[in-house]
Amino acid sequence: RRVSGYMDFLLGPRSELQPIWRDYGFAPQTKEEEHNSYVVVLDKEGRQRVGFPIDHLTPEDLAHDIRVLLAQPS
C-alpha cells in the first residue's frame, strides 16, 4: 500500500482488494451500482490523510493540503 509515483487503478482478486477498499473508504463497482470516485492524498508514511469526493475537489484545496503535508516533518 505504499504508493509512489502515479497510479490509475488497482487490479487483483477480491480477497486482496477488500482490505484496500476498507482502509481507504472505497466501494467496489457492482452490476447495480458504480464505484465511488475519490482523490486520496497520502502522507510521507503512506497513510491516507485527505480524501476528496471527485465532485468536491478543487485545485486550490488540493494544492493547500499537499503543501501542508509536505511541510510536516518526516
Side-chain angles (χ1 to χ4, degrees), residues 3 8 25 33 47 62 74:
V3 178
D8 285 330
E33 199 170 314
R47 295 180 307 239
L62 181 59
S74 295

Side-chain angles (χ1 to χ4, degrees), residues 8-72:
D8 285 330
F9 53 86
L10 296 174
L11 297 175
R14 179 175 285 273
S15 61
E16 291 180 12
L17 293 175
Q18 281 179 324
I20 297 166
W21 296 333
R22 182 186 62 248
D23 290 349
Y24 291 99
F26 289 104
Q29 186 166 324
T30 66
K31 290 180 182 178
E32 296 80 32
E33 199 170 314
E34 201 166 312
H35 64 84
N36 51 7
S37 296
Y38 281 84
V39 171
V40 177
V41 180
L42 307 177
D43 66 14
K44 294 175 183 178
E45 302 298 318
R47 295 180 307 239
Q48 179 180 343
R49 296 294 299 273
V50 180
F52 291 100
I54 199 72
D55 56 341
H56 291 94
L57 178 66
T58 66
E60 297 80 16
D61 288 343
L62 181 59
H64 169 267
D65 290 339
I66 290 172
R67 282 192 300 274
V68 168
L69 288 174
L70 289 173
Q72 293 181 345

